[in-house]
Amino acid sequence: MPGPVPAVRRVRAALRRPLALLGGARLRPLQVVVVVAIAGAGLAASAAVATHARADHRDAHTEWAGRAAATIRDELDAAGSNLTAARGLFAAGGPAVDAAAFGRFAAVELVDSQVLSLNWAERVPAASRPRYERLHGTIRAPDASGRITAAPARGEHFPLTFTAPASPAARGSLGVDLAGRPALRATLARARDGARPVVTPALSLDRGRPTAVALLAAVYGPDPSPSTVAARRSGLGGYVGGVFPLTGLAAPAAALLPEGGGLRITDRGTTLADIGPGRPRDAVGVARVAGTTWTVKVALPGAPAATSTAVLTPALGAAAVALLFAVLFGQANGRRRERGAAAARLRHEADTDGLTGLANRRRLERDLAAAARERSPLTLVMLDLNGFKGYNDRFGHPAGDALLVRLSARLAAAAPGAAYRLGGDEFCVLVPGGGRLGDTLDRVHEALRERGDGFQVTAAHGVARLPVDATTPDAAMLVADHRMYAHKGIGRQSAGSQSADVLVRALAERHPDLEEHTDGVADLADRVARRLGLGETARGEVRRAARLHDVGKVAIPDSILDKPAPLDAAELAFVRRHTVIGERILRVAPSLAPIAALVRSSHERWDGAGYPDGLAGEDIPRASRIVFACDAYEAMTSPRRPYRDAIPPGAALAEIAACAGTQFDPQVAAVLVEVVRGDLAGAAARRTGVVSPA
């Protein structure tokens, strides 16, 4: 075997003539070795680039095919969700469901989904077959040659009883026993035992033209959601089916492909759908849609990069290959980044509300479905704004949109989980875990509350816990929606609230300082009532009593209210009449009558030395005791009092604590001190940049 030196000599001899023609000098042995090494490195780099490009091309196909298959699976799940909405009709009506009701239901479903037709196959045990055939005609089934004849006797039959829209072809299928088709029996059993919609490949061909796919879902009764397989088999009432267009199901997946790409779905060698200008021909990037026999292939624009091995001279060839190596790798990585960014952007836009930036209904449905599959405990809070329509009508749609953006930002910051905008003025929050919400609802309501001159926007809520209140996403949203609208009737701005606004405005027009004072008392009283554990209705009474506790001062002369010196005995007695006057004013409005007594007692003392009735202890309404303590704190710390300078909050709290048990309810005083000290600590932390642990 020749050694390295003779080999170098042969290479030098082979290069001598080309180099001479190019005007090059003879190469020394070491130079030849270096040149050959560079050329070999260049050729190796070129081969690596070509291999990388082919792998990148194959990976891109595989990635897109898998993404397309997942998207098609999501669309099938969405179609199944639309289909399961029909189950309630048949579970409620059973064999007595009438065609007219079904037709009206189908018409509604056809508007909101891609359903081509909806069908109902009723379970008919062998003993009930004569009665069924007297009412609906002969139960038929295909024989061995494929002809449709009277169905042979079986333990049970599933004849197609209703179909909508009732086209001539569809009417021709009425009475045909689904169980008479051997290919469908296993599918029927899976739909029955699994209690979820099942894709039906046997129905995906329409006379040899693959244009649609059918889904079947079992309907049970009298329990519409049996938990065991045995209960599902015994309670089976029939099957509701939907036929969906394949092109419609595949369109969202095709839309994700780059421009010029294409998508093909096949079912055991038969092409079901072919979308886009690209035509996938090879088996690169094959993916399957889970739960079906469908295979997904994609075609992407462009071809695998290739490198040329042509070399003008050893050094130039190696340099060109190295440069091509860098350029092609950069281009390949750039294309990969662009595809990933475009796909992420499309996914984000598809899952995001365009106005507020919150997640949308599509994302909510997917998150709920994922939680249901993983059996993760979850709390769903549905929210609907009160007063937004009036705000929109008064200030215009641009102002309404700006309000929605502000409220959405607050909701996203306040929610412990994901926040969603479902459309219009409806929102939703998903809270991980299924326990008590604690202060979560208070924070969410505070985030969605805005009040101004002549308007007030609040929120009503409805809560559903998975899996306690419901076991499926659709059922959870239905429960939360019902509870939300029940709460909306309570939370809507009432005539009493509007009347209270009018009275407070009238008082503020005469004494502007009193509006800020009463608002401060109402806010502090609400927080104290919440800390004391009062319910929403009781807290509402506390808030309204606090806002209106000084309304009787409209009858007090300005010379007394604005007197810069202490009042004499006659003036003090005149001022003390304002609680009785306030009660009389409020009793005129029926919607405000329940808080009239609270305003009358808002200056009674715990020891009985208050006015106007000298009540003591528990005889004083609890709401009045809360308002009295909060009013005293606000009065001591307010700089707006004409006859006395404000004192620091710490000194005011010390006074409240010192008077607990004589002037104030001891429990109310203790909670008031706790709430205000928490406010002061939080304000100090914000000033110094220190954040207290949650």
Side-chain angles (χ1 to χ4, degrees), residues 177-234:
D177 185 5
L178 297 187
R181 302 183 182 184
L184 270 180
R185 290 172 190 161
T187 302
L188 294 174
R190 282 195 294 126
R192 176 197 64 201
D193 295 345
R196 64 186 307 271
V198 175
V199 179
T200 315
L203 296 183
S204 62
L205 303 181
D206 181 11
R207 299 182 183 177
R209 291 180 286 110
T211 59
V213 60
L215 277 77
L216 283 177
V219 178
Y220 310 99
D223 178 9
S225 301
S227 58
T228 65
V229 172
R232 292 167 187 167
R233 292 178 178 178
S234 62

Side-chain angles (χ1 to χ4, degrees), residues 30 39 66 98 162 166 173 186 200 279 430 488 522 593:
L30 183 58
D98 59 75
F162 296 126
S173 299
T200 315
R279 289 294 180 264
L430 288 186
K488 192 173 181 70

Side-chain angles (χ1 to χ4, degrees), residues 100-157:
F102 178 81
R104 289 193 297 271
F105 177 84
V108 173
E109 284 299 304
L110 290 172
V111 171
D112 295 330
S113 68
Q114 301 180 38
V115 179
L116 293 176
S117 68
L118 290 174
N119 307 283
W120 165 242
E122 181 180 335
R123 181 190 185 190
V124 179
S128 302
R129 178 174 178 176
R131 179 178 178 277
Y132 178 90
E133 291 183 334
R134 283 197 305 272
L135 295 175
H136 302 285
T138 303
I139 298 177
R140 300 173 296 152
D143 59 15
S145 63
R147 291 186 304 109
I148 302 297
T149 62
R154 297 176 53 81
E156 57 184 5
H157 303 273

Side-chain angles (χ1 to χ4, degrees), residues 364 368 377-383 420 422 427-434 437 441 461-466 469 472-481 483:
L364 171 64
L368 281 174
L378 195 67
T379 300
L380 169 69
V381 183
M382 299 280 283
L383 299 150
Y420 308 80
L422 306 185
F427 297 86
C428 178
V429 172
L430 288 186
V431 183
L437 291 177
L441 284 178
H461 73 270
V463 176
R465 293 174 174 83
L466 285 165
D469 297 326
T472 65
D474 290 341
M477 293 184 69
L478 186 62
V479 169
D481 196 59
R483 291 176 176 174

Side-chain angles (χ1 to χ4, degrees), residues 494-517:
S494 63
S497 177
Q498 296 173 10
S499 301
D501 289 343
V502 171
L503 291 173
V504 172
R505 172 54 60 189
L507 182 64
E509 289 297 324
R510 185 174 177 191
H511 303 289
D513 290 344
L514 284 179
E515 181 179 25
E516 186 174 350
H517 167 70

